[in-house]
Amino acid sequence: MPDTAGPALHAVLLFLLELGLLGAAGFWALTVFSSPWAAVVAVIVVAAGWGLLLSPKAPARPPWPWHAVAAHVLFVLGAVVLFAVGQPLIAAVYLALILVSVALTVVYRDRMGPATERIRESAAPSGRRAAGR
């Protein structure tokens, strides 16, 4: 396996876990409130929070180790929500994937911090408009 295949697979797993978190939020709202609109609102709220705090280009993104901890804590909360609404099998599979992600985060921890900093630096404005011309 190439040197970059492991981190790339981990990034795909993290993306799938993010989608699972959105699905858990929507399913929870649909179950509790019995309204598709509640599910839509729950998904939008979780997606907005993720985008503002934990996405690679988030304006208020915490530094490297705390970002990984916060993301995995939210994933575990998604598994708890799935258990709470009566989906133990889906929650168990989701929790197993979270544990794999935690293990891969530990394995690739030396690469994760600098990689996210490069993403944030590449998002910085440049050129004439950034210089105020």
mmCIF file of all heavy atoms in Angstrom, residues 68-87:
data_model
loop_
_atom_site.group_PDB
_atom_site.id
_atom_site.type_symbol
_atom_site.label_atom_id
_atom_site.label_comp_id
_atom_site.label_asym_id
_atom_site.label_seq_id
_atom_site.Cartn_x
_atom_site.Cartn_y
_atom_site.Cartn_z
ATOM 1 N N ALA A 68 -9.552 16.515 16.890
ATOM 2 C CA ALA A 68 -9.807 15.071 16.775
ATOM 3 C C ALA A 68 -10.659 14.573 17.947
ATOM 4 O O ALA A 68 -11.572 13.766 17.762
ATOM 5 C CB ALA A 68 -8.488 14.306 16.711
ATOM 6 N N VAL A 69 -10.373 15.065 19.137
ATOM 7 C CA VAL A 69 -11.146 14.658 20.310
ATOM 8 C C VAL A 69 -12.599 15.115 20.169
ATOM 9 O O VAL A 69 -13.534 14.333 20.377
ATOM 10 C CB VAL A 69 -10.517 15.221 21.608
ATOM 11 C CG1 VAL A 69 -11.432 15.032 22.796
ATOM 12 C CG2 VAL A 69 -9.164 14.579 21.860
ATOM 13 N N ALA A 70 -12.811 16.365 19.794
ATOM 14 C CA ALA A 70 -14.171 16.889 19.658
ATOM 15 C C ALA A 70 -14.952 16.133 18.592
ATOM 16 O O ALA A 70 -16.126 15.794 18.787
ATOM 17 C CB ALA A 70 -14.120 18.377 19.326
ATOM 18 N N ALA A 71 -14.310 15.852 17.466
ATOM 19 C CA ALA A 71 -14.992 15.138 16.389
ATOM 20 C C ALA A 71 -15.415 13.744 16.845
ATOM 21 O O ALA A 71 -16.559 13.322 16.622
ATOM 22 C CB ALA A 71 -14.081 15.051 15.163
ATOM 23 N N HIS A 72 -14.514 13.028 17.504
ATOM 24 C CA HIS A 72 -14.845 11.668 17.926
ATOM 25 C C HIS A 72 -15.869 11.654 19.066
ATOM 26 O O HIS A 72 -16.687 10.739 19.146
ATOM 27 C CB HIS A 72 -13.565 10.899 18.275
ATOM 28 C CG HIS A 72 -12.794 10.514 17.049
ATOM 29 N ND1 HIS A 72 -11.796 11.295 16.543
ATOM 30 C CD2 HIS A 72 -12.914 9.443 16.220
ATOM 31 C CE1 HIS A 72 -11.319 10.718 15.454
ATOM 32 N NE2 HIS A 72 -11.985 9.597 15.232
ATOM 33 N N VAL A 73 -15.848 12.655 19.911
ATOM 34 C CA VAL A 73 -16.884 12.746 20.951
ATOM 35 C C VAL A 73 -18.263 12.947 20.301
ATOM 36 O O VAL A 73 -19.243 12.309 20.694
ATOM 37 C CB VAL A 73 -16.573 13.885 21.953
ATOM 38 C CG1 VAL A 73 -17.780 14.228 22.803
ATOM 39 C CG2 VAL A 73 -15.394 13.482 22.835
ATOM 40 N N LEU A 74 -18.335 13.793 19.280
ATOM 41 C CA LEU A 74 -19.603 13.979 18.580
ATOM 42 C C LEU A 74 -20.051 12.697 17.880
ATOM 43 O O LEU A 74 -21.237 12.371 17.858
ATOM 44 C CB LEU A 74 -19.494 15.120 17.579
ATOM 45 C CG LEU A 74 -19.510 16.517 18.173
ATOM 46 C CD1 LEU A 74 -19.321 17.564 17.080
ATOM 47 C CD2 LEU A 74 -20.800 16.771 18.915
ATOM 48 N N PHE A 75 -19.098 11.962 17.304
ATOM 49 C CA PHE A 75 -19.446 10.698 16.669
ATOM 50 C C PHE A 75 -20.033 9.725 17.688
ATOM 51 O O PHE A 75 -21.023 9.042 17.418
ATOM 52 C CB PHE A 75 -18.226 10.065 15.994
ATOM 53 C CG PHE A 75 -17.666 10.863 14.843
ATOM 54 C CD1 PHE A 75 -16.316 10.785 14.539
ATOM 55 C CD2 PHE A 75 -18.464 11.687 14.066
ATOM 56 C CE1 PHE A 75 -15.778 11.490 13.476
ATOM 57 C CE2 PHE A 75 -17.936 12.415 13.005
ATOM 58 C CZ PHE A 75 -16.591 12.313 12.706
ATOM 59 N N VAL A 76 -19.411 9.660 18.861
ATOM 60 C CA VAL A 76 -19.919 8.764 19.913
ATOM 61 C C VAL A 76 -21.316 9.212 20.358
ATOM 62 O O VAL A 76 -22.195 8.373 20.596
ATOM 63 C CB VAL A 76 -18.933 8.698 21.105
ATOM 64 C CG1 VAL A 76 -19.554 8.000 22.291
ATOM 65 C CG2 VAL A 76 -17.655 7.995 20.677
ATOM 66 N N LEU A 77 -21.539 10.515 20.443
ATOM 67 C CA LEU A 77 -22.885 11.000 20.773
ATOM 68 C C LEU A 77 -23.897 10.574 19.715
ATOM 69 O O LEU A 77 -25.044 10.255 20.037
ATOM 70 C CB LEU A 77 -22.878 12.519 20.929
ATOM 71 C CG LEU A 77 -22.239 13.056 22.196
ATOM 72 C CD1 LEU A 77 -22.198 14.581 22.166
ATOM 73 C CD2 LEU A 77 -22.979 12.569 23.422
ATOM 74 N N GLY A 78 -23.468 10.548 18.456
ATOM 75 C CA GLY A 78 -24.340 10.050 17.399
ATOM 76 C C GLY A 78 -24.693 8.591 17.604
ATOM 77 O O GLY A 78 -25.845 8.178 17.403
ATOM 78 N N ALA A 79 -23.718 7.774 18.040
ATOM 79 C CA ALA A 79 -23.995 6.364 18.337
ATOM 80 C C ALA A 79 -24.940 6.230 19.517
ATOM 81 O O ALA A 79 -25.851 5.392 19.504
ATOM 82 C CB ALA A 79 -22.679 5.622 18.611
ATOM 83 N N VAL A 80 -24.756 7.057 20.524
ATOM 84 C CA VAL A 80 -25.651 7.022 21.691
ATOM 85 C C VAL A 80 -27.072 7.375 21.275
ATOM 86 O O VAL A 80 -28.048 6.747 21.721
ATOM 87 C CB VAL A 80 -25.138 7.980 22.796
ATOM 88 C CG1 VAL A 80 -26.166 8.184 23.884
ATOM 89 C CG2 VAL A 80 -23.832 7.457 23.370
ATOM 90 N N VAL A 81 -27.209 8.365 20.410
ATOM 91 C CA VAL A 81 -28.529 8.759 19.922
ATOM 92 C C VAL A 81 -29.177 7.600 19.172
ATOM 93 O O VAL A 81 -30.370 7.328 19.334
ATOM 94 C CB VAL A 81 -28.409 10.016 19.024
ATOM 95 C CG1 VAL A 81 -29.643 10.216 18.169
ATOM 96 C CG2 VAL A 81 -28.148 11.240 19.875
ATOM 97 N N LEU A 82 -28.396 6.894 18.361
ATOM 98 C CA LEU A 82 -28.955 5.752 17.637
ATOM 99 C C LEU A 82 -29.414 4.662 18.594
ATOM 100 O O LEU A 82 -30.459 4.040 18.379
ATOM 101 C CB LEU A 82 -27.939 5.210 16.636
ATOM 102 C CG LEU A 82 -27.702 6.096 15.406
ATOM 103 C CD1 LEU A 82 -26.514 5.605 14.607
ATOM 104 C CD2 LEU A 82 -28.955 6.156 14.543
ATOM 105 N N PHE A 83 -28.636 4.406 19.642
ATOM 106 C CA PHE A 83 -29.079 3.453 20.672
ATOM 107 C C PHE A 83 -30.382 3.925 21.319
ATOM 108 O O PHE A 83 -31.302 3.144 21.547
ATOM 109 C CB PHE A 83 -28.018 3.286 21.764
ATOM 110 C CG PHE A 83 -27.004 2.219 21.483
ATOM 111 C CD1 PHE A 83 -25.669 2.542 21.356
ATOM 112 C CD2 PHE A 83 -27.372 0.887 21.368
ATOM 113 C CE1 PHE A 83 -24.720 1.562 21.104
ATOM 114 C CE2 PHE A 83 -26.443 -0.105 21.118
ATOM 115 C CZ PHE A 83 -25.111 0.233 20.984
ATOM 116 N N ALA A 84 -30.459 5.218 21.606
ATOM 117 C CA ALA A 84 -31.610 5.766 22.322
ATOM 118 C C ALA A 84 -32.903 5.683 21.510
ATOM 119 O O ALA A 84 -33.981 5.554 22.086
ATOM 120 C CB ALA A 84 -31.346 7.216 22.715
ATOM 121 N N VAL A 85 -32.798 5.754 20.198
ATOM 122 C CA VAL A 85 -34.013 5.712 19.378
ATOM 123 C C VAL A 85 -34.323 4.303 18.883
ATOM 124 O O VAL A 85 -35.146 4.120 17.997
ATOM 125 C CB VAL A 85 -33.952 6.702 18.191
ATOM 126 C CG1 VAL A 85 -33.934 8.126 18.683
ATOM 127 C CG2 VAL A 85 -32.796 6.401 17.272
ATOM 128 N N GLY A 86 -33.657 3.306 19.459
ATOM 129 C CA GLY A 86 -34.005 1.926 19.168
ATOM 130 C C GLY A 86 -33.327 1.314 17.960
ATOM 131 O O GLY A 86 -33.903 0.427 17.328
ATOM 132 N N GLN A 87 -32.125 1.751 17.640
ATOM 133 C CA GLN A 87 -31.364 1.187 16.527
ATOM 134 C C GLN A 87 -30.022 0.650 17.026
ATOM 135 O O GLN A 87 -28.958 1.142 16.660
ATOM 136 C CB GLN A 87 -31.138 2.253 15.443
ATOM 137 C CG GLN A 87 -32.388 2.767 14.807
ATOM 138 C CD GLN A 87 -33.136 1.673 14.057
ATOM 139 O OE1 GLN A 87 -32.549 0.801 13.432
ATOM 140 N NE2 GLN A 87 -34.452 1.713 14.144
#
